Amino acid sequence: MGQTARRNPHRWVSSCATAAAVLTAAAALATPARGALPTTYGGRFTVPSLTALRLPDPRTASTALESALARAVYDTLYTSDLSGEPTPSLAAYLPEREESVDGAPPRFRVQLRGDVRRHDRRTLSADDVVQSLRAAARSSAKPWLVGLGPSLAEPDVRAVDPLTLSFAWRGSARALAVRLSALPLSIVHRRGGTGPYRARLRSGELHLSQFRAAARGAPYVRTIVVRPPEDREQELRSFELERADASWRGAALYGQPRRPVQRLDWPDEIPVLLVLGPRAQPHAAALDRAIDRRRLARVGLVPTDALAPGVPTARLTGTAPTGPLRLVVRADDQFQRALASALDARFDEEGWDLEVAALEASRYARALSAGTWDLRVVQAPPALPDPVSRVASVLVAVGDGGGAARVLSEGTAGLAHAGRSLRAILLGRRDLQLHAVGSLRGASFDVLGRLRFERLHVVLDPEEPEE
């Protein structure tokens, strides 16, 4: 058996600044005393999902895996480096301020690259971007459009010519570029995006197909297959029988793995919260005190008491519940079910009546819409790495779009109020490990903790001795 390789994901992120550094990080993951042969293009990588499958969409991504898949399919106009500085991606340059007109709000021009192709092979146009941003304003991503127009519903974005956009914006050019690098503002076209992979649901699986004309360059692996979630034994058996190339559950079902396996530790940047409905809010402090976070660590949570650096902990008040509370979870989300079981056991020790309702996707959505719940679990992948954006992302996830818009508008001045008024209990951060075949190389994460699927590749023969 090859030795399991464990690496710090934050060091991986820092190694991705240049192409040479990426190759260095890939070599570091090789089996000790073995030589990594040249990258092979093509092949197939199969990984199980954590939740029910759906087409990747950055505007609705709610887990670490969904966020990474959205990045594999869609691009943003700008990206942020490790220091938070924006760099052009689909845009050719940083925004440029237009000459001001008396009485009119300031405007900035953004020039698109002329070589960007959509997944239907047509050139990305300014009109495509305008339509994408208008669609975002009709989705849960709309708080991220604060400042791009007079209201959330009407972003003031115009196509000046086929490759030039004009944005209304009252901040700096840098601030506009940072906002446009947010994951929910990825350019989503009705026929796909511009990312390294094209996505399609096929026979109950999600297939990501290599897009050689991608704006970020062609990916290495030809096809990535994401399979529906399975229970622990089924998933591990598929991994051991080489029907899958990765597993979230471990390296082997019984004893030692049958082949070399490496462990990839995902950055723990995904806050997990228990959202309180109207009937549960009067009991917030009692619920928070009763939660045993050491027990939650057993189901994959890293304890933490802060949403982001510098954000104060919510001021919770309330007494013990005297009546039943209803916790709704997704039946197809194994993590939510495990978390609900741990909470149920703990609240039962307190003598409280907690009803756990595991609902299939459509019933779960109806329960949220109808308000027939008291507690629910959410995850909030950060859209940008700064504290303001992290808190805004959490507020969007818990259903407080207005609060998210205020935070994005007020900046750091709005963090204290947002942290204290949060109608949720922070349980911890998601702890994820992906066990993958030993021949996998190029595993790295971006600044938001998303696996860079386009950099994954395999070696020709991982057992070939070094020459």
Side-chain angles (χ1 to χ4, degrees):
M1 183 192 79
Q3 181 176 340
T4 299
R6 181 175 182 177
R7 293 290 183 264
N8 186 327
H10 298 287
R11 288 200 294 270
W12 280 344
V13 172
S14 64
S15 71
C16 294
T18 66
V22 170
L23 294 177
T24 301
L29 283 169
T31 305
R34 301 290 183 184
L37 297 179
T39 299
T40 58
Y41 289 79
R44 176 184 175 116
F45 180 72
T46 301
V47 60
S49 177
L50 292 165
T51 56
L53 293 177
R54 57 182 176 179
L55 286 172
D57 189 332
R59 298 165 300 191
T60 59
S62 61
T63 68
L65 180 59
E66 285 184 339
S67 183
L69 292 171
R71 184 188 186 278
V73 177
Y74 299 104
D75 291 305
T76 48
L77 292 173
Y78 299 92
T79 60
S80 291
D81 63 19
L82 293 177
S83 65
E85 287 302 310
T87 58
S89 180
L90 299 181
Y93 317 103
L94 291 175
E96 297 178 341
R97 190 181 181 110
E98 299 178 10
E99 291 188 12
S100 59
V101 178
D102 292 342
R107 303 193 70 86
F108 289 81
R109 289 203 173 195
V110 171
Q111 185 76 24
L112 296 179
R113 290 165 45 187
D115 62 344
V116 177
R117 298 291 181 268
R118 303 183 323 213
H119 287 161
D120 61 1
R121 297 282 180 171
R122 296 187 179 183
T123 302
L124 179 73
S125 71
D127 279 329
D128 292 333
V129 176
V130 170
Q131 294 304 317
S132 177
L133 294 177
R134 288 177 178 170
R138 299 189 295 269
S139 74
S140 61
K142 64 184 179 181
W144 294 99
L145 280 85
V146 169
L148 298 182
S151 71
L152 290 179
E154 299 178 4
D156 189 349
V157 183
R158 307 169 189 167
V160 177
D161 60 42
L163 292 177
T164 308
L165 295 151
S166 176
F167 288 85
W169 179 253
R170 296 188 179 277
S172 66
R174 177 189 177 281
L176 174 59
V178 169
R179 183 65 59 82
L180 293 175
S181 70
L183 176 65
L185 297 188
S186 295
I187 305 307
V188 181
H189 188 265
R190 64 182 180 278
R191 295 187 179 179
T194 60
Y197 286 97
R198 291 176 285 193
R200 178 180 298 178
L201 287 171
R202 181 186 301 168
S203 302
E205 298 176 331
L206 176 64
H207 285 238
L208 302 184
S209 302
Q210 181 186 62
F211 183 49
R212 298 304 299 268
R216 279 182 268 148
Y220 297 141
V221 178
R222 178 173 290 113
T223 304
I224 293 175
V225 178
V226 186
R227 301 171 66 174
E230 299 176 318
D231 63 35
R232 180 181 180 277
E233 288 197 2
Q234 289 176 320
E235 182 179 302
L236 285 173
R237 187 174 292 110
S238 294
F239 187 42
E240 285 199 331
L241 296 177
E242 302 187 19
R243 296 171 183 165
D245 301 305
S247 169
W248 302 101
R249 303 293 189 170
L253 183 57
Y254 303 111
Q256 298 294 325
R258 298 183 180 181
R259 52 180 169 168
V261 175
Q262 60 177 298
R263 188 174 112 173
L264 312 179
D265 292 299
W266 286 49
D268 57 343
E269 299 296 336
I270 309 300
V272 180
L273 301 102
L274 186 66
V275 183
L276 310 175
R279 286 204 313 167
Q281 288 175 27
H283 312 297
L287 295 173
D288 183 46
R289 286 193 299 269
I291 294 171
D292 183 353
R293 285 170 173 78
R294 292 173 300 177
R295 184 177 295 180
L296 299 186
R298 301 171 193 167
V299 298
L301 278 181
V302 177
T304 184
D305 59 359
L307 287 176
V311 180
T313 304
R315 293 177 178 173
L316 302 177
T317 60
T319 57
T322 56
L325 294 176
R326 188 171 191 244
L327 169 61
V328 296
V329 297
R330 286 277 298 265
D332 53 19
D333 189 320
Q334 298 165 354
F335 172 71
Q336 284 197 16
R337 295 204 317 268
L339 196 57
S341 179
L343 291 172
D344 187 24
R346 182 69 187 94
F347 289 174
D348 185 62
E349 293 171 359
E350 294 288 324
W352 300 343
D353 184 4
L354 180 67
E355 174 198 350
V356 177
L359 309 175
E360 56 92 18
S362 60
R363 290 184 59 204
Y364 180 82
R366 288 197 296 270
L368 297 191
S369 178
T372 55
W373 60 277
D374 300 310
L375 302 166
R376 63 187 179 97
V377 176
V378 302
Q379 300 176 61
L384 289 170
D386 62 280
V388 169
S389 297
R390 289 187 182 186
V391 173
S393 179
V394 167
L395 292 171
V396 170
V398 303
D400 187 2
R406 286 193 298 272
V407 168
L408 289 169
S409 177
E410 298 173 7
T412 54
L415 287 180
H417 174 74
R420 295 190 182 103
S421 63
L422 184 67
R423 296 189 298 273
I425 297 172
L426 179 62
L427 300 178
R429 296 188 182 276
R430 188 74 186 269
D431 184 20
L432 286 177
Q433 297 91 34
L434 183 66
H435 294 81
V437 291
S439 58
L440 182 68
R441 302 290 187 270
S444 60
F445 297 85
D446 69 4
V447 68
L448 301 185
R450 299 173 297 190
L451 183 63
R452 294 161 61 95
F453 279 106
E454 73 274 17
R455 294 299 180 189
L456 298 180
H457 59 274
V458 295
V459 294
L460 295 174
D461 184 356
E463 297 303 320
E464 183 77 17
E466 185 175 7
E467 295 181 359

mmCIF file of all heavy atoms in Angstrom, residues 162-196:
data_model
loop_
_atom_site.group_PDB
_atom_site.id
_atom_site.type_symbol
_atom_site.label_atom_id
_atom_site.label_comp_id
_atom_site.label_asym_id
_atom_site.label_seq_id
_atom_site.Cartn_x
_atom_site.Cartn_y
_atom_site.Cartn_z
ATOM 1 N N PRO A 162 -20.300 45.251 -28.207
ATOM 2 C CA PRO A 162 -20.259 43.797 -27.982
ATOM 3 C C PRO A 162 -19.304 43.330 -26.893
ATOM 4 O O PRO A 162 -19.526 42.264 -26.306
ATOM 5 C CB PRO A 162 -19.839 43.254 -29.353
ATOM 6 C CG PRO A 162 -20.417 44.232 -30.324
ATOM 7 C CD PRO A 162 -20.254 45.569 -29.653
ATOM 8 N N LEU A 163 -18.269 44.096 -26.558
ATOM 9 C CA LEU A 163 -17.299 43.657 -25.566
ATOM 10 C C LEU A 163 -17.105 44.652 -24.424
ATOM 11 O O LEU A 163 -16.164 44.509 -23.643
ATOM 12 C CB LEU A 163 -15.946 43.380 -26.230
ATOM 13 C CG LEU A 163 -15.876 42.186 -27.181
ATOM 14 C CD1 LEU A 163 -14.495 42.088 -27.809
ATOM 15 C CD2 LEU A 163 -16.225 40.883 -26.466
ATOM 16 N N THR A 164 -17.970 45.652 -24.313
ATOM 17 C CA THR A 164 -17.791 46.683 -23.289
ATOM 18 C C THR A 164 -19.045 46.839 -22.452
ATOM 19 O O THR A 164 -20.154 46.951 -22.981
ATOM 20 C CB THR A 164 -17.431 48.036 -23.922
ATOM 21 O OG1 THR A 164 -16.323 47.869 -24.802
ATOM 22 C CG2 THR A 164 -17.068 49.045 -22.844
ATOM 23 N N LEU A 165 -18.851 46.863 -21.119
ATOM 24 C CA LEU A 165 -19.939 47.039 -20.160
ATOM 25 C C LEU A 165 -19.766 48.356 -19.435
ATOM 26 O O LEU A 165 -18.649 48.833 -19.231
ATOM 27 C CB LEU A 165 -19.932 45.903 -19.135
ATOM 28 C CG LEU A 165 -20.214 44.503 -19.664
ATOM 29 C CD1 LEU A 165 -19.523 43.466 -18.799
ATOM 30 C CD2 LEU A 165 -21.712 44.244 -19.699
ATOM 31 N N SER A 166 -20.897 48.935 -19.021
ATOM 32 C CA SER A 166 -20.872 50.146 -18.216
ATOM 33 C C SER A 166 -21.689 49.903 -16.954
ATOM 34 O O SER A 166 -22.869 49.542 -17.019
ATOM 35 C CB SER A 166 -21.460 51.327 -18.999
ATOM 36 O OG SER A 166 -21.512 52.487 -18.186
ATOM 37 N N PHE A 167 -21.035 50.074 -15.781
ATOM 38 C CA PHE A 167 -21.656 49.817 -14.483
ATOM 39 C C PHE A 167 -21.844 51.121 -13.722
ATOM 40 O O PHE A 167 -20.918 51.950 -13.673
ATOM 41 C CB PHE A 167 -20.775 48.919 -13.626
ATOM 42 C CG PHE A 167 -20.701 47.487 -14.068
ATOM 43 C CD1 PHE A 167 -19.792 47.109 -15.043
ATOM 44 C CD2 PHE A 167 -21.531 46.528 -13.515
ATOM 45 C CE1 PHE A 167 -19.701 45.786 -15.445
ATOM 46 C CE2 PHE A 167 -21.446 45.205 -13.909
ATOM 47 C CZ PHE A 167 -20.527 44.830 -14.880
ATOM 48 N N ALA A 168 -23.009 51.300 -13.107
ATOM 49 C CA ALA A 168 -23.191 52.372 -12.130
ATOM 50 C C ALA A 168 -22.599 51.875 -10.815
ATOM 51 O O ALA A 168 -22.904 50.769 -10.362
ATOM 52 C CB ALA A 168 -24.661 52.703 -11.957
ATOM 53 N N TRP A 169 -21.739 52.702 -10.213
ATOM 54 C CA TRP A 169 -21.064 52.258 -8.984
ATOM 55 C C TRP A 169 -20.541 53.477 -8.244
ATOM 56 O O TRP A 169 -19.904 54.345 -8.842
ATOM 57 C CB TRP A 169 -19.904 51.321 -9.345
ATOM 58 C CG TRP A 169 -19.121 50.817 -8.172
ATOM 59 C CD1 TRP A 169 -17.860 51.193 -7.794
ATOM 60 C CD2 TRP A 169 -19.525 49.830 -7.216
ATOM 61 N NE1 TRP A 169 -17.469 50.507 -6.676
ATOM 62 C CE2 TRP A 169 -18.477 49.659 -6.292
ATOM 63 C CE3 TRP A 169 -20.694 49.083 -7.059
ATOM 64 C CZ2 TRP A 169 -18.553 48.768 -5.229
ATOM 65 C CZ3 TRP A 169 -20.763 48.197 -5.997
ATOM 66 C CH2 TRP A 169 -19.707 48.033 -5.104
ATOM 67 N N ARG A 170 -20.798 53.552 -6.942
ATOM 68 C CA ARG A 170 -20.409 54.728 -6.151
ATOM 69 C C ARG A 170 -19.105 54.523 -5.379
ATOM 70 O O ARG A 170 -18.695 55.415 -4.640
ATOM 71 C CB ARG A 170 -21.540 55.112 -5.195
ATOM 72 C CG ARG A 170 -22.806 55.556 -5.918
ATOM 73 C CD ARG A 170 -23.842 56.118 -4.970
ATOM 74 N NE ARG A 170 -25.034 56.547 -5.679
ATOM 75 C CZ ARG A 170 -25.173 57.714 -6.282
ATOM 76 N NH1 ARG A 170 -24.183 58.582 -6.264
ATOM 77 N NH2 ARG A 170 -26.296 58.023 -6.915
ATOM 78 N N GLY A 171 -18.475 53.382 -5.543
ATOM 79 C CA GLY A 171 -17.216 53.135 -4.864
ATOM 80 C C GLY A 171 -16.038 53.266 -5.805
ATOM 81 O O GLY A 171 -16.110 53.894 -6.861
ATOM 82 N N SER A 172 -14.934 52.636 -5.428
ATOM 83 C CA SER A 172 -13.722 52.685 -6.232
ATOM 84 C C SER A 172 -13.749 51.604 -7.305
ATOM 85 O O SER A 172 -14.549 50.654 -7.254
ATOM 86 C CB SER A 172 -12.496 52.494 -5.342
ATOM 87 O OG SER A 172 -12.498 51.185 -4.795
ATOM 88 N N ALA A 173 -12.822 51.729 -8.262
ATOM 89 C CA ALA A 173 -12.707 50.714 -9.305
ATOM 90 C C ALA A 173 -12.325 49.366 -8.696
ATOM 91 O O ALA A 173 -12.836 48.315 -9.105
ATOM 92 C CB ALA A 173 -11.676 51.159 -10.342
ATOM 93 N N ARG A 174 -11.430 49.393 -7.701
ATOM 94 C CA ARG A 174 -11.022 48.149 -7.052
ATOM 95 C C ARG A 174 -12.209 47.485 -6.356
ATOM 96 O O ARG A 174 -12.400 46.264 -6.447
ATOM 97 C CB ARG A 174 -9.916 48.420 -6.035
ATOM 98 C CG ARG A 174 -9.475 47.191 -5.267
ATOM 99 C CD ARG A 174 -8.525 47.523 -4.120
ATOM 100 N NE ARG A 174 -8.186 46.332 -3.353
ATOM 101 C CZ ARG A 174 -8.969 45.779 -2.431
ATOM 102 N NH1 ARG A 174 -10.157 46.322 -2.157
ATOM 103 N NH2 ARG A 174 -8.585 44.692 -1.782
ATOM 104 N N ALA A 175 -13.014 48.280 -5.638
ATOM 105 C CA ALA A 175 -14.163 47.725 -4.922
ATOM 106 C C ALA A 175 -15.159 47.092 -5.889
ATOM 107 O O ALA A 175 -15.761 46.058 -5.586
ATOM 108 C CB ALA A 175 -14.836 48.806 -4.088
ATOM 109 N N LEU A 176 -15.337 47.705 -7.055
ATOM 110 C CA LEU A 176 -16.237 47.127 -8.055
ATOM 111 C C LEU A 176 -15.686 45.788 -8.545
ATOM 112 O O LEU A 176 -16.434 44.807 -8.673
ATOM 113 C CB LEU A 176 -16.402 48.091 -9.222
ATOM 114 C CG LEU A 176 -17.209 47.557 -10.418
ATOM 115 C CD1 LEU A 176 -18.619 47.163 -9.999
ATOM 116 C CD2 LEU A 176 -17.242 48.595 -11.539
ATOM 117 N N ALA A 177 -14.388 45.732 -8.820
ATOM 118 C CA ALA A 177 -13.790 44.487 -9.287
ATOM 119 C C ALA A 177 -13.911 43.388 -8.236
ATOM 120 O O ALA A 177 -14.189 42.228 -8.567
ATOM 121 C CB ALA A 177 -12.326 44.712 -9.652
ATOM 122 N N VAL A 178 -13.718 43.745 -6.961
ATOM 123 C CA VAL A 178 -13.861 42.766 -5.891
ATOM 124 C C VAL A 178 -15.289 42.234 -5.838
ATOM 125 O O VAL A 178 -15.519 41.021 -5.734
ATOM 126 C CB VAL A 178 -13.457 43.377 -4.533
ATOM 127 C CG1 VAL A 178 -13.865 42.458 -3.381
ATOM 128 C CG2 VAL A 178 -11.954 43.631 -4.493
ATOM 129 N N ARG A 179 -16.273 43.125 -5.923
ATOM 130 C CA ARG A 179 -17.670 42.691 -5.891
ATOM 131 C C ARG A 179 -17.981 41.772 -7.078
ATOM 132 O O ARG A 179 -18.691 40.766 -6.926
ATOM 133 C CB ARG A 179 -18.600 43.900 -5.907
ATOM 134 C CG ARG A 179 -20.085 43.557 -5.806
ATOM 135 C CD ARG A 179 -20.438 42.910 -4.475
ATOM 136 N NE ARG A 179 -20.109 43.771 -3.360
ATOM 137 C CZ ARG A 179 -20.884 44.765 -2.919
ATOM 138 N NH1 ARG A 179 -22.035 45.012 -3.512
ATOM 139 N NH2 ARG A 179 -20.513 45.493 -1.904
ATOM 140 N N LEU A 180 -17.443 42.092 -8.246
ATOM 141 C CA LEU A 180 -17.720 41.285 -9.431
ATOM 142 C C LEU A 180 -16.962 39.959 -9.430
ATOM 143 O O LEU A 180 -17.171 39.131 -10.314
ATOM 144 C CB LEU A 180 -17.379 42.081 -10.700
ATOM 145 C CG LEU A 180 -18.275 43.293 -10.972
ATOM 146 C CD1 LEU A 180 -17.764 44.069 -12.171
ATOM 147 C CD2 LEU A 180 -19.721 42.872 -11.178
ATOM 148 N N SER A 181 -16.107 39.744 -8.439
ATOM 149 C CA SER A 181 -15.421 38.456 -8.328
ATOM 150 C C SER A 181 -16.189 37.487 -7.442
ATOM 151 O O SER A 181 -15.763 36.337 -7.265
ATOM 152 C CB SER A 181 -14.008 38.655 -7.765
ATOM 153 O OG SER A 181 -14.047 39.030 -6.398
ATOM 154 N N ALA A 182 -17.318 37.915 -6.880
ATOM 155 C CA ALA A 182 -18.101 37.067 -5.980
ATOM 156 C C ALA A 182 -18.672 35.877 -6.734
ATOM 157 O O ALA A 182 -19.148 35.992 -7.863
ATOM 158 C CB ALA A 182 -19.232 37.880 -5.348
ATOM 159 N N LEU A 183 -18.658 34.713 -6.092
ATOM 160 C CA LEU A 183 -19.164 33.498 -6.727
ATOM 161 C C LEU A 183 -20.605 33.626 -7.226
ATOM 162 O O LEU A 183 -20.909 33.191 -8.333
ATOM 163 C CB LEU A 183 -19.042 32.324 -5.755
ATOM 164 C CG LEU A 183 -19.624 30.995 -6.240
ATOM 165 C CD1 LEU A 183 -18.850 30.481 -7.444
ATOM 166 C CD2 LEU A 183 -19.607 29.958 -5.127
ATOM 167 N N PRO A 184 -21.549 34.211 -6.486
ATOM 168 C CA PRO A 184 -22.914 34.310 -7.007
ATOM 169 C C PRO A 184 -23.032 35.174 -8.256
ATOM 170 O O PRO A 184 -24.057 35.139 -8.927
ATOM 171 C CB PRO A 184 -23.699 34.937 -5.842
ATOM 172 C CG PRO A 184 -22.888 34.645 -4.639
ATOM 173 C CD PRO A 184 -21.471 34.689 -5.097
ATOM 174 N N LEU A 185 -22.005 35.971 -8.577
ATOM 175 C CA LEU A 185 -22.057 36.805 -9.776
ATOM 176 C C LEU A 185 -21.292 36.158 -10.928
ATOM 177 O O LEU A 185 -20.910 36.828 -11.887
ATOM 178 C CB LEU A 185 -21.491 38.198 -9.482
ATOM 179 C CG LEU A 185 -22.273 39.002 -8.439
ATOM 180 C CD1 LEU A 185 -21.760 40.424 -8.357
ATOM 181 C CD2 LEU A 185 -23.765 39.007 -8.748
ATOM 182 N N SER A 186 -21.078 34.844 -10.868
ATOM 183 C CA SER A 186 -20.502 34.133 -12.001
ATOM 184 C C SER A 186 -21.390 34.328 -13.231
ATOM 185 O O SER A 186 -22.602 34.509 -13.112
ATOM 186 C CB SER A 186 -20.386 32.636 -11.694
ATOM 187 O OG SER A 186 -19.470 32.408 -10.643
ATOM 188 N N ILE A 187 -20.762 34.304 -14.406
ATOM 189 C CA ILE A 187 -21.513 34.546 -15.630
ATOM 190 C C ILE A 187 -22.194 33.251 -16.061
ATOM 191 O O ILE A 187 -21.560 32.321 -16.567
ATOM 192 C CB ILE A 187 -20.593 35.094 -16.729
ATOM 193 C CG1 ILE A 187 -19.865 36.343 -16.226
ATOM 194 C CG2 ILE A 187 -21.392 35.397 -17.988
ATOM 195 C CD1 ILE A 187 -20.767 37.417 -15.656
ATOM 196 N N VAL A 188 -23.498 33.186 -15.831
ATOM 197 C CA VAL A 188 -24.302 31.997 -16.116
ATOM 198 C C VAL A 188 -25.130 32.264 -17.356
ATOM 199 O O VAL A 188 -25.984 33.154 -17.371
ATOM 200 C CB VAL A 188 -25.217 31.653 -14.923
ATOM 201 C CG1 VAL A 188 -26.031 30.406 -15.231
ATOM 202 C CG2 VAL A 188 -24.391 31.466 -13.655
ATOM 203 N N HIS A 189 -24.880 31.512 -18.414
ATOM 204 C CA HIS A 189 -25.624 31.651 -19.660
ATOM 205 C C HIS A 189 -26.588 30.483 -19.785
ATOM 206 O O HIS A 189 -26.339 29.398 -19.259
ATOM 207 C CB HIS A 189 -24.648 31.672 -20.851
ATOM 208 C CG HIS A 189 -25.297 31.992 -22.156
ATOM 209 N ND1 HIS A 189 -25.723 31.020 -23.038
ATOM 210 C CD2 HIS A 189 -25.599 33.173 -22.737
ATOM 211 C CE1 HIS A 189 -26.262 31.597 -24.104
ATOM 212 N NE2 HIS A 189 -26.191 32.897 -23.949
ATOM 213 N N ARG A 190 -27.688 30.696 -20.477
ATOM 214 C CA ARG A 190 -28.689 29.632 -20.578
ATOM 215 C C ARG A 190 -28.147 28.386 -21.272
ATOM 216 O O ARG A 190 -28.703 27.297 -21.145
ATOM 217 C CB ARG A 190 -29.941 30.138 -21.309
ATOM 218 C CG ARG A 190 -29.726 30.526 -22.762
ATOM 219 C CD ARG A 190 -31.014 31.056 -23.380
ATOM 220 N NE ARG A 190 -30.853 31.436 -24.769
ATOM 221 C CZ ARG A 190 -30.350 32.589 -25.184
ATOM 222 N NH1 ARG A 190 -29.963 33.479 -24.283
ATOM 223 N NH2 ARG A 190 -30.229 32.853 -26.462
ATOM 224 N N ARG A 191 -27.068 28.511 -22.023
ATOM 225 C CA ARG A 191 -26.455 27.358 -22.674
ATOM 226 C C ARG A 191 -25.127 26.981 -22.032
ATOM 227 O O ARG A 191 -24.272 26.386 -22.659
ATOM 228 C CB ARG A 191 -26.267 27.637 -24.170
ATOM 229 C CG ARG A 191 -27.596 27.798 -24.921
ATOM 230 C CD ARG A 191 -27.381 27.900 -26.407
ATOM 231 N NE ARG A 191 -28.651 28.027 -27.110
ATOM 232 C CZ ARG A 191 -28.766 28.163 -28.435
ATOM 233 N NH1 ARG A 191 -27.660 28.184 -29.176
ATOM 234 N NH2 ARG A 191 -29.935 28.277 -29.006
ATOM 235 N N GLY A 192 -24.968 27.335 -20.783
ATOM 236 C CA GLY A 192 -23.762 26.979 -20.056
ATOM 237 C C GLY A 192 -22.925 28.186 -19.736
ATOM 238 O O GLY A 192 -23.332 29.330 -19.953
ATOM 239 N N GLY A 193 -21.733 27.934 -19.221
ATOM 240 C CA GLY A 193 -20.855 29.030 -18.842
ATOM 241 C C GLY A 193 -19.660 29.137 -19.761
ATOM 242 O O GLY A 193 -19.751 28.880 -20.967
ATOM 243 N N THR A 194 -18.523 29.501 -19.188
ATOM 244 C CA THR A 194 -17.274 29.597 -19.935
ATOM 245 C C THR A 194 -16.170 28.825 -19.228
ATOM 246 O O THR A 194 -15.007 28.927 -19.603
ATOM 247 C CB THR A 194 -16.844 31.073 -20.071
ATOM 248 O OG1 THR A 194 -16.661 31.632 -18.758
ATOM 249 C CG2 THR A 194 -17.882 31.891 -20.815
ATOM 250 N N GLY A 195 -16.524 28.062 -18.196
ATOM 251 C CA GLY A 195 -15.538 27.381 -17.365
ATOM 252 C C GLY A 195 -14.919 26.163 -18.025
ATOM 253 O O GLY A 195 -15.280 25.786 -19.156
ATOM 254 N N PRO A 196 -13.991 25.508 -17.331
ATOM 255 C CA PRO A 196 -13.272 24.362 -17.897
ATOM 256 C C PRO A 196 -14.138 23.150 -18.221
ATOM 257 O O PRO A 196 -13.729 22.281 -18.983
ATOM 258 C CB PRO A 196 -12.257 24.012 -16.806
ATOM 259 C CG PRO A 196 -12.124 25.249 -15.976
ATOM 260 C CD PRO A 196 -13.467 25.893 -16.011
#
